Amino acid sequence: MRAALREAAGRGTNTTMARALLIALALLLAACGRHDARAPFLDSQTPPSLATRFYPMIKQRQGSMVIIGSIGAFKSVVGNPAYAASKAGLFGLTRTLGDAWGREGVRVNGIAPGMIATKMTKATTDHPDRLQAALDTISLGRLGLPVDVADMALFLVSPLASYITGQTLIVDGGRSL
């Protein structure tokens, strides 16, 4: 499946554009993955700024943008309301840009990952009791991997998703069900 998606993504998308998309995705991930006193500012201001900065290049190539959020946009995040609010903002940004820029041939979609095994989730995954409690909330019974999110991004920028814009797809193994 991954090979087919990579092949499909290669049709109509040149290497420069693919690299630009990966750079934009990496910048958005880096900006939205910060967890310090400035996180709400970065989460609410950086993605629109980066999207606007990359828009002319993506429009020229009739490309696609993927915004990474979190299932925190759709559920409460007790103890961290700023995180939930910032992720809800990314959900709204995805819908708005998908509508506005779709009229000019630029698709904008989002991904809302659940619990992915990364440095950010180590506070849970490094403690067996916390890890088991988290796994009990996930229908598939496992943590997601970064490749699960990357594969969804690859699908969204491929021609296979050419009629999808403004949508945020949940990649959480069933945790939000």
Side-chain angles (χ1 to χ4, degrees), residues 13 16 38 47 67-68 72 80 100 102-103 105 115 122 131 133 136 139 148 150 162 164 167 173:
T13 306
T16 303
R38 298 181 309 149
I67 297 173
I68 308 295
N80 199 346
R103 300 168 195 284
M115 185 162 283
K122 280 194 161 296
L131 175 59
D136 289 345
S139 300
D148 295 319
S162 66
I164 301 172
Q167 303 303 309

Side-chain angles (χ1 to χ4, degrees), residues 20-43:
L21 287 168
L22 291 174
I23 290 167
L25 181 60
L27 288 170
L28 287 172
L29 281 169
C32 297
R34 300 224 16 181
H35 295 282
D36 59 24
R38 298 181 309 149
F41 172 77
L42 287 170
D43 279 341

Side-chain angles (χ1 to χ4, degrees), residues 127-138:
H127 301 278
D129 292 341
R130 289 184 197 167
L131 175 59
Q132 189 57 53
L135 292 174
D136 289 345
T137 68
I138 302 170

Side-chain angles (χ1 to χ4, degrees), residues 41-62:
F41 172 77
L42 287 170
D43 279 341
S44 65
Q45 299 299 317
T46 304
S49 297
L50 286 172
T52 302
R53 174 172 282 170
F54 282 98
Y55 174 72
M57 178 179 55
I58 294 172
K59 180 182 175 190
Q60 178 184 11
R61 305 276 189 189
Q62 297 291 284

Side-chain angles (χ1 to χ4, degrees), residues 78-144:
V78 176
N80 199 346
Y83 181 83
S86 68
K87 300 313 174 189
L90 291 175
F91 173 70
L93 178 68
T94 300
R95 290 175 57 94
T96 301
L97 295 181
D99 185 24
W101 293 355
R103 300 168 195 284
E104 298 183 35
V106 174
R107 295 181 303 104
V108 179
N109 289 293
I111 300 173
M115 185 162 283
I116 305 297
T118 64
K119 183 178 176 183
M120 186 177 127
T121 59
K122 280 194 161 296
T124 298
T125 60
D126 283 351
H127 301 278
D129 292 341
R130 289 184 197 167
L131 175 59
Q132 189 57 53
L135 292 174
D136 289 345
T137 68
I138 302 170
S139 300
L140 295 181
R142 69 172 179 88
L143 297 177

